[in-house]
């Protein structure tokens, strides 16, 4: 599991994190994880698949037009990302 070190955090911010964690009944580390998760994965984000489906509905394509686009689509399986 990845680990992160936060340098140069002000004493005030650290104290506020500890207070907030205590209010939520968890450790400071757990509180920071929750804050980071909420910041990078907001609950109301638009998901790509939902967005594309809504665009398709708004375009009002016929079944034959949708089939035409499906035939044009590249069906080659994707290669996994190679990390260096």
């Amino acid at each position: 599991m990845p680990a992160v070190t936060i340098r140069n955090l002000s004493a005030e911010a650290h104290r506020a994190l500890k207070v907030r964690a205590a209010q939520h009944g968890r450790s400071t580390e757990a509180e920071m994880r929750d804050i980071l998760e909420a910041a990078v994965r907001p609950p109301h984000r638009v998901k790509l698949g939902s967005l594309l489906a809504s665009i398709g509905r708004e375009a009002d394509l016929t079944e034959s037009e949708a089939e035409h686009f499906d035939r044009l689509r590249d069906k080659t399986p994707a290669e996994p990302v190679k990390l260096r």
Side-chain angles (χ1 to χ4, degrees):
M1 179 144 315
V4 176
T5 300
I6 301 173
R7 292 182 172 81
N8 302 319
L9 183 65
S10 70
E12 295 83 14
H14 187 251
R15 222 177 357 263
L17 279 168
K18 288 175 78 170
V19 168
R20 181 175 163 156
Q23 289 171 337
H24 293 131
R26 54 184 163 214
S27 69
T28 305
E29 184 177 337
E31 187 67 22
M32 288 189 283
R33 275 194 302 271
D34 188 65
I35 291 167
L36 287 170
E37 284 285 333
V40 299
R41 295 176 27 174
H44 301 295
R45 72 184 191 279
V46 175
K47 295 179 181 158
L48 182 59
S50 300
L51 178 62
L52 292 173
S54 70
I55 290 170
R57 282 190 297 274
E58 289 174 19
D60 204 24
L61 295 176
T62 65
E63 189 64 33
S64 65
E65 290 169 327
E67 288 172 6
H68 175 72
F69 284 119
D70 191 48
R71 284 192 301 276
L72 293 175
R73 184 173 61 90
D74 181 6
K75 295 182 178 135
T76 307
E79 292 290 323
V81 174
K82 293 182 175 91
L83 301 176
R84 297 177 192 185

